[in-house]
Amino acid sequence: MEQVFGCLVRFHVLRVLLNFLFHGASMSELDLCALIEDFGSEEKCRRYLERLRWPNGVVCPTCKSKKISRIAERNQFDCDSCRYQFSATAGTIFHDTHLPLWKWFLATYLICESRKGMSANQIKRMLKITYKTSWYLCHRIRHTMITVAKPDLDGTVEVDETFVGGKKKGFGMKAAKAAKEVVIGIRQRGGELRFFHAADVKSGTLAQYIRENVSKHVDVLVTDDFSAYHGAMKQIGFSAKHRTINHSKKVYVVGDIHTNTVESAFSPLKRGIVGTWHRVSAKHLSAYLDEMCFRFNNRKNDFLFRDTMLKLINSSNLEYKKLTAEVRDAA
Ligand SMILES: [Zn+2]
């Protein structure tokens, strides 16, 4: 508690710094002051998670009974029907966490609000926690940002590819050969953005991502004049709907034919990787891409923080062992 309020003054200074870092990104309805006011104690955080988890009153996770007694001194509940004792965070991603909840709340807020993402190192410094704790915390928050439901994209859809990582500068085809990672971007104009970490930019690979994400009834598919797109469109029967913009001749817009909306989403990704994460290993790239897409697709969502907390409280625990087995080389 004292720690929290001790931090309050420092946070006012931090806020100025954060505004600078976010380059004027929307601070939505919840700014840092409101966050501290609303969630500045373990009790406030716990009550908030309770309300998110059980909006219609506490329910026993074992027998679903609603006859529950609160054991206030232990922050637990006792089921009157089956005598099971549980807490608001039992079985969730917060299960067994040794971190104070307010640090979870603050880290989630920072990750939601920073347009280019935030590195584990930065969270470590801001929350005064170890790098290992910060890395694990960031990955668990990021893990909940994976969008499960992916309806087909429709209308006008732009597809483009870019290359990230590696030591050589540049993002063209030559750079791809210099061991950079391929990211395919697909964006419905006025709609959702999706990024994928792809093995290569061959026709078959491009065709697979387009087939899996774009509706058969799409109006128009726009790409640049990279030859593999022609092969890809042929494979999936989209050639008649395919329009290209001739980037190799420095033409970028012809009427409605351009790939500017998907390209504009690549720039925070590249800045994020260069400026925030510094080094993203190939193993982690998909997780970072999911985080970027989640934030991008929610950039106008005034309730992004609440919605992310909702995802966290409804996610099951992600053990450190399991996470490090999936992504062994921590970035
Ligand atoms: Zn029960």
Side-chain angles (χ1 to χ4, degrees):
M1 281 287 279
E2 276 172 26
Q3 254 182 324
V4 178
F5 294 111
C7 282
L8 188 59
V9 178
R10 266 175 285 159
F11 281 145
H12 281 291
V13 181
L14 247 180
R15 192 169 177 230
V16 177
L17 180 70
L18 287 169
N19 269 319
F20 170 74
L21 283 172
F22 298 147
H23 294 290
S26 157
M27 296 294 277
S28 70
E29 90 293 0
L30 185 71
D31 62 20
L32 206 44
C33 292
L35 184 88
I36 301 295
E37 215 171 291
D38 292 348
F39 308 113
S41 73
E42 284 301 281
E43 178 64 12
K44 285 178 176 177
C45 294
R46 195 171 289 282
R47 291 281 175 154
Y48 183 69
L49 291 179
E50 267 175 48
R51 287 199 301 278
L52 286 181
R53 187 173 182 183
W54 299 296
N56 301 313
V58 183
V59 179
C60 170
T62 305
C63 73
K64 310 294 173 211
S65 168
K66 292 187 99 177
K67 288 181 185 164
I68 306 291
S69 310
R70 186 184 285 273
I71 315 169
E73 65 273 17
R74 279 196 275 137
N75 290 319
Q76 280 198 317
F77 301 99
D78 182 31
C79 174
D80 294 343
S81 305
C82 74
R83 308 297 353 154
Y84 182 66
Q85 292 189 350
F86 56 96
S87 70
T89 54
T92 73
I93 210 155
F94 302 97
H95 193 82
D96 284 343
T97 185
H98 299 298
L99 266 186
L101 289 174
W102 69 267
K103 290 197 177 186
W104 273 88
F105 276 54
L106 187 52
T108 305
Y109 173 84
L110 292 170
I111 289 172
C112 284
E113 288 291 340
S114 57
R115 199 183 287 174
K116 294 180 290 175
M118 197 159 276
S119 70
N121 252 321
Q122 204 167 350
I123 297 278
K124 171 196 130 180
R125 289 192 296 270
M126 285 173 152
L127 300 190
K128 291 205 182 317
I129 54 181
T130 66
Y131 179 76
K132 187 179 166 186
T133 303
S134 175
W135 181 85
Y136 183 32
L137 175 66
C138 291
H139 264 290
R140 277 178 291 177
I141 295 169
R142 190 172 295 125
H143 182 75
T144 63
M145 292 180 166
I146 297 170
T147 306
V148 185
K150 289 187 172 174
D152 285 347
L153 303 178
D154 219 333
T156 299
V157 175
E158 299 176 19
V159 186
D160 200 5
E161 77 292 332
T162 192
F163 303 91
V164 297
K167 284 178 183 168
K168 289 198 173 180
K169 287 188 175 174
F171 296 101
M173 282 302 157
K174 279 183 189 166
K177 287 174 187 159
K180 285 185 181 255
E181 301 298 326
V182 179
V183 175
I184 295 176
I186 307 180
R187 187 175 174 192
Q188 178 177 328
R189 224 173 262 175
E192 215 175 275
L193 165 77
R194 287 172 202 171
F195 282 149
F196 300 98
H197 179 199
D200 53 57
V201 286
K202 292 177 184 165
S203 291
T205 311
L206 294 168
Q208 183 201 332
Y209 286 105
I210 297 169
R211 190 187 292 118
E212 287 173 0
N213 290 280
V214 178
S215 161
K216 284 179 184 155
H217 308 291
V218 66
D219 295 330
V220 183
L221 269 155
V222 191
T223 70
D224 60 25
D225 53 343
F226 175 44
S227 61
Y229 285 116
H230 295 287
M233 298 301 170
K234 210 172 176 183
Q235 281 183 39
I236 47 178
F238 279 168
S239 293
K241 297 174 175 182
H242 184 205
R243 301 286 178 274
T244 59
I245 190 81
N246 201 344
H247 283 181
S248 52
K249 289 189 177 164
K250 308 272 179 221
V251 179
Y252 294 96
V253 182
V254 179
D256 268 354
I257 308 304
H258 61 81
T259 52
N260 291 353
T261 58
V262 69
E263 279 171 40
S264 69
F266 279 143
S267 63
L269 170 73
K270 285 176 186 170
R271 284 203 307 270
I273 287 174
V274 174
T276 308
W277 299 315
H278 305 294
R279 186 173 60 89
V280 174
S281 73
K283 249 178 188 171
H284 290 94
L285 187 55
S286 285
Y288 289 111
L289 295 178
D290 284 337
E291 179 192 331
M292 290 300 286
C293 286
F294 177 79
R295 204 169 24 236
F296 190 88
N297 291 329
N298 279 284
R299 66 198 180 284
K300 290 177 185 163
N301 179 0
D302 283 342
F303 300 98
L304 178 57
F305 176 78
R306 181 204 63 189
D307 291 349
T308 309
M309 293 312 297
L310 198 58
K311 276 171 163 279
L312 282 164
I313 194 69
N314 286 312
S315 292
S316 53
N317 194 18
L318 179 65
E319 286 180 17
Y320 188 76
K321 259 191 313 196
K322 189 168 174 263
L323 183 66
T324 46
E326 278 174 16
V327 280
R328 211 165 289 135
D329 50 343

